[in-house]
């Protein structure tokens, strides 16, 4: 699995391409997200194999929704976990089979519920007793039945940034255990709902499977109770959250999470249920890089600033979660005094942190591990166009988006 690497001469490679060579490609510009499609495919193969037959990897599309990536995953048998009507329409158009799609989300619009019911997806994962009634009413109005799952909040805390912990008592997500009995009863009372699954998602950037298994155990207990009542569900969904190595510690591999999930399922004697997992980050994170041009250095008493053309509008994670992303020069291994790397946006939070890059200011830098929650969280803030996207496969550029159009932003604001 490739992603970013360096050869014995210290030259950096990404997706089988020598980065310095691609930088002179006439149609490529900066800032740009480069994606390694072969790496994404290999990562997916490994996880699908680890989960084994009867498992379903439902990729969390919010991590990266580029159709070229969705197609690579679909071709590997990966399904989709979507959180909006937009994402649902996207995966359907890319050709993901409806029975491989689940939709999550704490405040689904009525139009999104309708779309999910009509498309006949695997399940609408319901996040409150109130939502049970809303989905039942829509199924009835459409004159059909809806396949639903209950997403349970397992009340499990994780060691991660507060913004990415979703399975604890105070989170808005999922049905608290205290409300679960009510939600099951409401589903059972409805004659337009089929309860086909029980799901959970404890949070993101997990380093070990333990909290994942703790949350999954809650799902198992509910599934066992359901089966004992003669109302067994079809599938268990333990969620996503498998961490990746951002350069500050190696999490266990996604396959270890899948194996831990399977082991639990076996121990709980629940192998008669299908197992669904919902990873986003681990399939794409390491296989995306944000490639930026260095605008200029700025050496002051405060810092050795390195001013680059990429910014928090392109990659929000450092500003929003104080996330660390490794940053490296393409032509030389890390050396010299650290630079404090910042972008042009007028916010102090537009700061990628201190990095040892090269002795002199380099011409470009590569912000690593930006394939997940990078482009999907980008904005036009400060009147900046969205970054270019470049898709690499077989050691070459497969295709790329047009150069970003600053006039597009200008026109939209003139029309406002
Ligand atoms: N399933 C559900 C219900 C989720 O809410 C999420 C992520 C996932 C699956 C996938 O989690 P993953 O495997 O990617 O960790 N923007 C943040 C991450 C927010 C995650 C939101 N939910 C970041 O950049 O770290």
């Amino acid at each position: 699995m490739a992603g970013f690497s360096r050869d014995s001469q210290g030259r950096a490679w990404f997706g089988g391409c020598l980065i310095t060579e691609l930088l002179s490609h006439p149609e490529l510009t900066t800032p740009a997200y480069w994606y390694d499609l072969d790496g994404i495919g290999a990562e997916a193969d490994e996880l699908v194999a680890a989960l084994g037959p009867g498992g379903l990897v439902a990729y969390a599309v919010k991590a990266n929704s580029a159709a070229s990536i969705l197609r690579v995953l679909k071709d590997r048998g990966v399904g989709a976990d979507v959180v909006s009507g937009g994402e649902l329409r996207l995966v359907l158009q890319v050709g993901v089979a409806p029975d491989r799609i689940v939709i999550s989300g704490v405040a689904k619009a009525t139009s999104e519920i309708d779309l999910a019911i009509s498309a006949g997806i695997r399940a609408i994962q319901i996040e409150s007793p109130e939502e049970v009634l809303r989905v039942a009413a829509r199924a009835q109005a459409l004159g059909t039945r809806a396949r639903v799952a209950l997403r349970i909040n397992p009340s499990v805390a994780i060691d991660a940034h507060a913004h990415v912990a979703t399975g604890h008592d105070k989170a808005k997500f999922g049905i608290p255990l205290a409300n679960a009995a009510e939600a099951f009863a409401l589903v059972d009372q409805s004659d337009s709902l089929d309860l086909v699954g029980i799901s959970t998602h404890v949070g993101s950037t997990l380093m070990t499977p333990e909290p994942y298994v703790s949350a999954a155990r809650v799902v198992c207990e509910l599934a066992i109770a359901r089966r004992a009542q003669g109302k067994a569900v079809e599938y268990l969904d333990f969620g996503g959250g498998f961490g990746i190595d951002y350069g500050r510690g190696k999490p266990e591999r996604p396959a270890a999470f899948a194996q831990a999930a399977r082991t639990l399922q076996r121990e709980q004697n629940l192998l008669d249920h299908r197992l669904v997992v919902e990873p986003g980050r681990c399939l794409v994170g390491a296989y995306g890089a944000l490639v930026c041009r260095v605008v200029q250095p700025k050496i002051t008493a405060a810092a050795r600033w390195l001013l680059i053309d990429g910014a928090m509008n392109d990659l929000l994670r450092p500003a929003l979660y104080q996330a660390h992303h490794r940053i490296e020069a393409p032509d030389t291994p890390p050396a010299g005094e650290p630079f404090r790397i910042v972008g042009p946006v007028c916010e102090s939070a537009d700061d990628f942190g201190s990095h040892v890059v090269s002795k002199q200011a380099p011409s470009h830098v590569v912000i690593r591990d930006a394939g997940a929650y990078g482009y999907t969280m980008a904005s036009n803030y400060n009147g900046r166009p969205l970054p270019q996207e470049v898709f690499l496969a077989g050691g070459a550029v497969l295709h790329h988006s047009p150069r970003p159009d600053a006039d597009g932003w200008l026109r939209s604001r003139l029309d406002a």
Side-chain angles (χ1 to χ4, degrees):
M1 285 179 260
F4 182 96
S5 63
R6 269 192 205 279
D7 62 20
S8 54
Q9 297 163 56
R11 301 174 308 175
W13 293 72
F14 187 80
C17 299
L18 188 58
I19 295 178
T20 46
E21 224 169 78
L22 271 197
L23 287 171
S24 55
H25 189 295
E27 288 163 47
L28 302 191
T29 184
T30 58
Y33 278 100
W34 293 6
Y35 302 117
D36 172 5
L37 295 181
D38 297 335
I40 292 170
E43 191 72 50
D45 282 342
E46 190 176 307
L47 183 57
V48 168
L51 202 59
L56 173 63
V57 177
Y59 166 65
V61 173
K62 64 172 92 69
N64 191 318
S65 47
S68 307
I69 291 175
L70 298 176
R71 279 188 210 103
V72 166
L73 294 174
K74 183 198 70 169
D75 292 347
R76 258 91 182 170
V78 171
D81 165 41
V82 301
V83 290
S84 67
E87 285 187 356
L88 176 52
R89 296 209 322 261
L90 174 68
V91 296
L92 288 169
Q93 284 194 32
V94 163
V96 180
D99 71 348
R100 288 172 178 268
I101 304 171
V102 292
I103 185 166
S104 311
V106 72
K108 299 173 196 79
T110 303
S111 59
E112 293 172 328
I113 294 171
D114 286 1
L115 179 61
I117 294 174
S118 329
I121 64 174
R122 169 162 290 272
I124 300 175
Q125 309 207 121
I126 291 181
E127 306 214 14
S128 59
E130 294 88 339
E131 192 188 355
V132 173
L133 298 175
R134 289 182 62 220
V135 176
R138 290 317 303 162
Q140 202 157 32
L142 295 170
T144 182
R145 302 180 67 79
R147 291 172 55 88
V148 300
L150 294 183
R151 173 175 171 185
I152 302 298
N153 182 324
S155 190
V156 171
I158 61 168
D159 182 20
H161 192 279
H163 291 358
V164 298
T166 53
H168 58 85
D169 300 355
K170 306 271 181 309
K172 68 176 175 178
F173 300 102
I175 301 172
L177 280 171
N179 303 94
E182 179 193 353
F184 279 107
L186 287 172
V187 173
D188 287 341
Q189 283 155 26
S190 161
D191 48 17
S192 52
L193 301 180
D194 293 317
L195 184 72
V196 296
I198 304 176
S199 74
T200 197
H201 174 72
V202 75
S204 278
T205 66
L206 302 175
M207 300 297 280
T208 66
E210 279 75 32
Y212 191 72
V213 169
S214 299
R217 205 178 287 281
V218 173
V219 170
C220 290
E221 280 163 17
L222 293 168
I224 289 167
R226 207 61 204 163
R227 191 175 54 190
Q229 295 164 11
K231 294 183 269 192
V233 293
E234 290 171 12
Y235 78 91
L236 316 172
D237 178 345
F238 296 160
F242 315 156
I244 62 167
D245 180 8
Y246 282 107
R248 297 249 166 107
K250 275 195 196 309
E252 288 193 39
R253 293 284 302 148
F257 285 81
Q259 279 147 12
R262 280 300 199 196
T263 301
L264 175 72
Q265 193 189 3
R266 198 172 312 114
E267 279 168 12
Q268 301 282 322
N269 191 21
L270 282 166
L271 287 174
D272 52 341
H273 291 62
R274 187 154 198 202
L275 182 59
V276 179
V277 296
E278 297 175 0
R281 183 186 325 266
C282 71
L283 293 176
V284 292
Y287 307 103
L290 180 61
V291 179
C292 303
R293 186 179 303 275
V294 172
V295 176
Q296 61 165 82
K298 173 175 172 178
I299 311 299
T300 69
R304 287 162 46 82
W305 305 101
L306 192 65
L307 312 180
I308 62 174
D309 66 356
M312 66 185 280
N313 73 294
D314 305 305
L315 178 63
L316 188 57
R317 301 193 70 257
L320 195 56
Y321 316 114
Q322 293 73 55
H324 172 75
H325 283 257
R326 288 170 283 188
I327 302 187
E328 305 198 26
D331 50 355
T332 153
E337 294 293 304
F339 281 106
R340 181 86 173 270
I341 303 184
V342 297
V345 161
C346 296
E347 294 267 0
S348 298
D350 183 24
D351 188 336
F352 296 107
S354 280
H355 300 263
V356 172
V357 177
S358 54
K359 289 206 180 94
Q360 308 297 325
S363 64
H364 292 81
V365 291
V366 179
I367 306 183
R368 295 178 56 182
D369 308 307
Y373 307 105
Y375 189 90
T376 51
M377 293 176 73
S379 77
N380 289 118
Y381 187 42
N382 274 209
R384 292 168 53 82
L386 294 177
Q388 190 178 37
E389 290 188 293
V390 181
F391 298 88
L392 309 173
V397 175
L398 190 65
H399 68 100
H400 57 81
S401 61
R403 281 166 166 272
D405 170 22
D407 292 350
W409 177 83
L410 182 63
R411 280 191 301 273
S412 81
R413 297 299 78 202
L414 284 169
D415 290 344

